[in-house]
């Protein structure tokens, strides 16, 4: 499948944190030809194993998305909601959304609120219901809505909801497809519940007990107008090799190895330093007695908004670097 087709297939699934099963089903079908086994653990992580001898190398990309959970239905049929993961009021206002059962709606604003004062409690969901009784036939308290926006390419860039982190899921699939023989024992793990606390990566890393761990995720792109310069990577300059974020300081030997592989493989790369935020690397590196951990990131604009943007060349570079690390000679 082409990259855009993979994203469209994944985004067609309902996959907020805690409800990733449909996404896992699509990924299992796509990954199966390239690995020896696909299993699912108790939390819902999809673990795709390509058998080798040693060392164990785990690559993680999370399947879950942020969402909007219904907390109250009023007498007029409007829905109040709470965040599943990191939502910002001014970024989701006016966004079309959909529920698992196909009900659709839009995020709307109550009253007149200045943008600087806008909070999630000022917003509600309008699903077209005439009253509370009708609304309750359409959705229930506890149901989760997700963004209902399209995926498309323009100008060498891909625009899509939930590039965080389904673009990294696609990167792992692209890397699997180009693997040749290697002695490394490889685990490609599509994790759950990253957006609410790196939960899936924690259990997956404990279960696999890897020697090396690489989190593949998006990172903020420092190239938008009036960029605050709280990050280091830029869309279009290649794979971003993580050095640090608020969840992890990557092991220097892993950072150095990724930089070496990029240099020898003529893979464009840059450094990924974030002053905030985190990835599955934060949970992986602390598992058991510790894991040699790094990160490969896709610079992405407008993270957690209804349309995120990444460079197609960066996606290719990340896939090449994942494949190179998977086949590299590694010594703990």
């Amino acid at each position: 499948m082409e990259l855009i087709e993979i994203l469209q297939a994944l985004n067609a699934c309902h996959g907020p944190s805690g409800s990733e099963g449909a996404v896992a089903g699509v990924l299992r079908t796509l990954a199966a030809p390239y690995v020896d086994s696909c299993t699912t653990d108790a939390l819902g992580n999809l673990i795709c194993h390509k058998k080798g001898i040693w060392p164990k190398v785990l690559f993680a990309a999370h399947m879950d998305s942020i969402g909007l959970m219904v907390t109250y239905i009023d007498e007029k049929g409007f829905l109040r909601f709470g965040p599943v993961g990191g939502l910002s009021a001014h970024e989701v206002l006016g966004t079309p959304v959909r529920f698992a059962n196909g009900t659709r709606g839009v995020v709307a604003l109550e009253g007149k609120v200045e943008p600087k004062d806008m909070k999630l409690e000022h917003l509600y969901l309008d699903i077209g219901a005439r009253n509370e009784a009708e609304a309750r036939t359409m959705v229930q308290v506890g149901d989760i809505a997700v963004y209902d926006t399209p995926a498309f390419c323009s100008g060498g860039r891909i625009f899509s909801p939930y590039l965080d982190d389904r673009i990294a899921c696609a990167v792992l699939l692209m890397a699997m497809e180009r693997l040749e023989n290697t002695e490394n024992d490889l685990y490609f793990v599509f994790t759950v519940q990253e957006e609410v606390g790196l939960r899936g990566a924690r259990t997956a890393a404990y279960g696999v007990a890897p020697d090396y761990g690489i989190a593949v995720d998006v990172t903020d792109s420092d190239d938008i107008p009036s960029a605050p310069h709280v990050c280091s990577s830029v869309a279009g300059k290649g794979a971003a090799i993580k050095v640090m974020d608020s969840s992890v300081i990557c092991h220097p030997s892993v950072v150095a190895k990724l930089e070496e592989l990029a240099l020898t493989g003529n893979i464009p790369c840059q450094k990924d330093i974030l002053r905030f935020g985190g990835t599955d690397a934060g949970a992986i590196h602390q598992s058991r007695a510790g894991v040699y951990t790094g990160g490969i990131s896709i610079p992405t604009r407008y993270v957690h908004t209804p349309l995120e943007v990444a460079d197609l060349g960066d996606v290719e570079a990340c896939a090449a670097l994942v494949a190179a690390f998977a086949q590299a000679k590694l010594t703990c």
Side-chain angles (χ1 to χ4, degrees):
M1 295 176 72
E2 296 292 328
L3 176 61
I4 187 67
E5 294 174 325
I6 293 173
L7 282 174
Q8 288 169 338
L10 297 178
N11 289 344
C13 300
H14 187 75
S17 298
S19 301
E20 301 92 347
V23 181
V26 172
L27 288 170
R28 178 188 287 264
T29 298
L30 295 175
Y34 309 114
V35 294
D36 297 302
S37 67
C38 295
T39 58
T40 303
D41 67 14
L43 211 61
N45 297 302
L46 175 63
I47 302 170
C48 303
H49 184 200
K50 186 172 179 63
K51 294 179 182 178
I53 302 170
W54 182 89
K56 285 185 182 181
V57 185
L58 183 155
F59 296 94
H62 69 90
M63 299 182 286
D64 61 313
S65 71
I66 58 176
L68 304 82
M69 180 180 285
V70 177
T71 57
Y72 181 77
I73 303 174
D74 72 18
E75 67 279 1
K76 294 183 179 179
F78 298 118
L79 317 178
R80 297 294 181 171
F81 64 89
V84 178
L87 288 179
S88 174
H90 72 277
E91 291 176 341
V92 301
L93 177 61
T95 299
V97 297
R98 72 173 189 273
F99 289 86
N101 66 2
T103 296
R104 284 178 158 82
V106 66
V107 182
L109 175 66
E110 179 181 21
K112 294 182 178 180
V113 182
E114 292 295 323
K116 64 181 179 63
D117 298 322
M118 194 183 302
K119 299 179 181 179
L120 290 178
E121 52 261 39
H122 297 129
L123 304 180
Y124 61 91
L125 300 179
D126 186 342
I127 57 172
R130 294 176 177 84
N131 51 48
E132 179 182 354
E134 183 176 7
R136 289 186 180 277
T137 68
M138 301 166 71
V139 299
Q140 300 296 319
V141 169
D143 289 351
I144 302 175
V146 297
Y147 297 151
D148 192 24
T149 42
F152 58 90
C153 293
S154 179
R157 302 277 161 83
I158 189 156
F159 295 67
S160 176
Y162 302 131
L163 290 181
D164 180 16
D165 190 31
R166 290 171 188 160
I167 193 67
C169 294
V171 163
L172 292 193
L173 292 171
M174 292 164 66
M176 287 182 208
E177 190 175 6
R178 62 189 70 186
L179 289 180
E180 299 176 359
N181 293 331
T182 176
E183 292 188 355
N184 298 333
D185 196 24
L186 303 177
Y187 293 80
F188 297 91
V189 181
F190 300 96
T191 63
V192 299
Q193 297 191 44
E194 190 270 355
E195 296 289 4
V196 291
L198 316 182
R199 298 170 186 173
R202 185 168 290 106
T203 61
Y206 188 91
V208 171
D211 300 294
Y212 291 88
I214 302 291
V216 185
D217 208 329
V218 301
T219 188
D220 280 344
S221 182
D222 193 41
D223 62 350
I224 60 174
S226 301
H229 306 305
V230 294
C231 54
S232 63
S233 60
V234 174
K237 291 192 175 182
I241 297 171
K242 185 172 289 295
V243 177
M244 187 193 85
D245 58 33
S246 63
S247 73
V248 66
I249 298 174
C250 293
H251 199 283
S253 67
V254 179
V255 174
K257 187 63 175 180
L258 287 168
E259 291 178 334
E260 174 196 330
L261 291 168
L263 178 64
T264 58
N266 198 27
I267 301 168
C269 72
Q270 56 190 310
K271 290 184 177 179
D272 174 24
I273 301 167
L274 271 176
R275 296 188 198 174
F276 53 85
T279 70
D280 280 338
I284 294 168
H285 82 287
Q286 299 179 81
S287 183
R288 293 183 181 259
V291 178
Y292 291 95
T293 301
I296 297 173
S297 304
I298 306 102
T300 301
R301 298 171 181 168
Y302 325 125
V303 174
H304 281 200
T305 70
L307 271 180
E308 302 168 337
V309 181
D311 186 89
L312 293 170
D314 294 344
V315 176
E316 170 59 30
C318 287
L321 191 53
V322 168
F325 193 88
Q327 297 172 106
K329 185 172 181 60
L330 304 170
T331 55
C332 293

